[in-house]
Amino acid sequence: MLPSVSIVQQIGLGVLFALAVVWTVGLTRMLRRGRYEAALWRDQQEMRVRYAPRGRSARPGPEALPGGPELLGSVPRQTGPPGPPSECVQLSDAERTAFEGLVRQLTSPS
């Protein structure tokens, strides 16, 4: 006990500290729960869009079925109807040879 502080002040300080701990724990749990529920809702919306049948009685195609490994589920596809068209660049023979040399250089065990 501190000699210069009354017992009432010490009890008040203990109660205040306990309330601060309870408030911090409650706030942390509330924020985590909200973040989890938001992520769960986002995943449900993504699954509904991804696996929703197209047209009246259409079944999802093989590309919509699970099974293939995905690198990152949150990165949208860059090609296809929602994205920009894919591009094709014609290389000259010299460019193709230089590119093959670069690929060999990068993939060779050194």
Side-chain angles (χ1 to χ4, degrees):
M1 278 199 216
L2 299 172
S4 62
V5 179
S6 71
I7 189 73
V8 175
Q9 288 176 327
Q10 289 182 9
I11 291 173
L13 184 64
V15 169
L16 185 62
F17 179 74
L19 286 174
V21 169
V22 168
W23 179 81
T24 304
V25 169
L27 182 65
T28 304
R29 291 186 69 193
M30 183 180 67
L31 290 176
R32 284 188 178 193
R33 186 177 335 136
R35 187 172 49 191
Y36 171 75
E37 289 171 354
L40 186 64
W41 181 80
R42 256 193 328 267
D43 289 344
Q44 287 175 349
Q45 295 299 321
E46 183 180 338
M47 290 299 136
R48 283 189 188 123
V49 169
R50 182 178 291 174
Y51 299 115
R54 308 284 188 255
R56 283 192 174 172
S57 61
R59 291 183 173 169
E63 68 278 351
L65 297 175
E70 293 185 20
L71 297 178
L72 293 173
S74 62
V75 176
R77 289 182 47 98
Q78 296 296 313
T79 59
S86 60
E87 298 177 5
C88 180
V89 177
Q90 299 297 327
L91 298 177
S92 67
D93 291 333
E95 291 172 332
R96 187 178 310 253
T97 306
F99 183 72
E100 288 173 358
L102 178 64
V103 169
R104 276 193 220 101
Q105 208 175 28
L106 294 175
T107 58
S108 67
S110 308

